[in-house]
Amino acid sequence: MRISLEPRAAPSPTMRWASPLVAVALTMLLGAVLFAALGKDPLAGLYAFFIAPIDSVNGVAELVVKASPLTIIAVGLAVGFRGNVWNIGAEGQLVVGAIAAAWIALTPEFAESALTLPAMIVAGAAGGMAWAAIPALLRTRFNANEILVSLMLTYVAQLLLNYLVFGPWRDPQGFNAPQSPLFPEAAMFPIIVEGTRLNASVLLTLAAVAAGWMFLSRSFPGFQTRVSGLSGAAARYAGFSEQRTVWVGMLAGGAAAGLAGTGEAAGTLGQLLPSLSPGYGFIAIIVAFVGRLHPVGILFAGLLMSLLYLGGDSAQISMGLPAAAAALFQGALLFFLLGADVLVNYRVRVRRARIVQRAPGAA
């Protein structure tokens, strides 16, 4: 029996949407095998990872809270990825957006105004866009690689955050801890469900999903972005500007990441901390591809990745699994997704091997 991959005449739309489901199923199967290898009950492990975190109202609220920044960043990144603009620095853009929003919150003249929170939202988006504009400018003017530039700027942003919370913005009443003062009430997103951390910043995520869908599916600039991603030669023949695609992709990702940073600082934390983000900007890249670079698919992928975060904490507490278990599931999900994506452009062919019988005495 011979197994081979045969190129398809055209990419399979069915496998394009089925491959994430295949990847999720294989990730769960791998998890069951690993639980058994560690001497744990596989069913109990899968329950701790995928059911226990959302078996209460507070659990569902935490799921949405963690999915919100992942989803909004992934939607912004998807705009660039659809145009072959690779913004890998969303983590740094999130941090700069949070810093810009915190500047509004910590300025006494703005602290108690009814416009404080709207001004923070605008400042957060502007901060993320400004940070994303640096690799966009270097790409369009000097043909610098936006992957490397945006990634390196992430570390610069984190150093800037550390400088502020260890230095001029350190809370004088914080027992010398590296943190900013708490934001005033006017600078906080209101709680939606009492007794939980679910706050109004999730509405920004829903708005971003709707805006991303409208842009990519129902606007001419979105059409230009998609064409540029499919074929640069066709885009140039049609007169579409490659530089404009770079700017649109980078600024969309920066604005989304800045809004996510504002939501974290003014929603769940209420201040700036060195550990502002547990890596949302990097995990959002996985979310974008699991969601097939489509805003609606990204929404469900964000919920799935959030569940893996919560499941890792749940399994660590209830079963004594290491903290790296969640990262292992995230990596396995991406690995299986990349493998399953092969079936979008190829189909598996199984052929019976021919057995040639030689005549007696034949050479």
Side-chain angles (χ1 to χ4, degrees), residues 152-188:
M152 293 299 102
L153 283 173
T154 296
Y155 301 101
V156 178
Q158 186 62 49
L159 290 173
L160 176 60
L161 174 63
N162 289 345
Y163 164 73
L164 291 173
V165 297
F166 279 93
W169 283 4
R170 181 183 295 198
D171 185 3
Q173 299 179 351
F175 301 99
N176 211 33
Q179 61 187 30
S180 74
L182 293 173
F183 294 171
E185 185 176 354
M188 294 291 295

Side-chain angles (χ1 to χ4, degrees), residues 251-326:
L251 294 182
L259 288 175
T262 303
E264 284 298 292
T268 57
L269 299 178
Q271 61 183 158
L272 287 184
L273 297 170
S275 56
L276 175 70
S277 167
Y280 288 141
F282 297 118
I283 302 300
I285 299 172
I286 302 178
V287 172
F289 282 101
V290 172
R292 315 311 299 170
L293 301 183
H294 190 286
V296 177
I298 287 172
L299 178 61
F300 290 103
L303 292 170
L304 172 62
M305 199 61 65
S306 172
L307 183 59
L308 293 181
Y309 265 116
L310 298 177
D313 295 339
S314 172
Q316 185 179 0
I317 295 172
S318 63
M319 303 185 67
L321 293 180

Side-chain angles (χ1 to χ4, degrees), residues 23 26-27 30 286 290 328-342:
L26 291 176
T27 300
L30 175 64
I286 302 178
V290 172
L328 187 148
F329 270 85
Q330 293 165 5
L333 179 61
L334 179 60
F335 175 81
F336 287 127
L337 177 65
L338 294 174
D341 273 353
V342 172

Side-chain angles (χ1 to χ4, degrees), residues 242-262:
E242 180 184 358
Q243 292 191 355
R244 181 166 54 193
T245 300
V246 172
W247 278 101
V248 169
M250 293 300 299
L251 294 182
L259 288 175
T262 303

Side-chain angles (χ1 to χ4, degrees), residues 57-155:
V57 173
N58 187 65
V60 174
E62 284 297 312
L63 177 75
V64 176
V65 165
K66 284 194 174 294
S68 180
L70 292 172
T71 302
I72 192 172
I73 296 172
V75 168
L77 293 179
V79 173
F81 292 167
R82 291 287 287 268
N84 277 339
V85 180
W86 304 103
N87 179 7
I88 309 299
E91 183 77 1
Q93 293 147 27
L94 179 152
V95 170
V96 173
I99 290 173
W103 176 75
I104 299 291
L106 299 176
T107 300
E109 291 78 10
F110 303 132
E112 299 300 334
S113 171
L115 298 177
T116 298
L117 191 55
M120 291 174 64
I121 294 173
V122 173
M129 292 172 68
W131 208 245
I134 299 174
L137 177 63
L138 295 177
R139 161 72 185 272
T140 55
R141 290 293 299 274
F142 304 104
N143 199 31
N145 189 307
E146 74 274 16
I147 296 176
L148 295 177
V149 175
S150 60
L151 180 60
M152 293 299 102
L153 283 173
T154 296
Y155 301 101

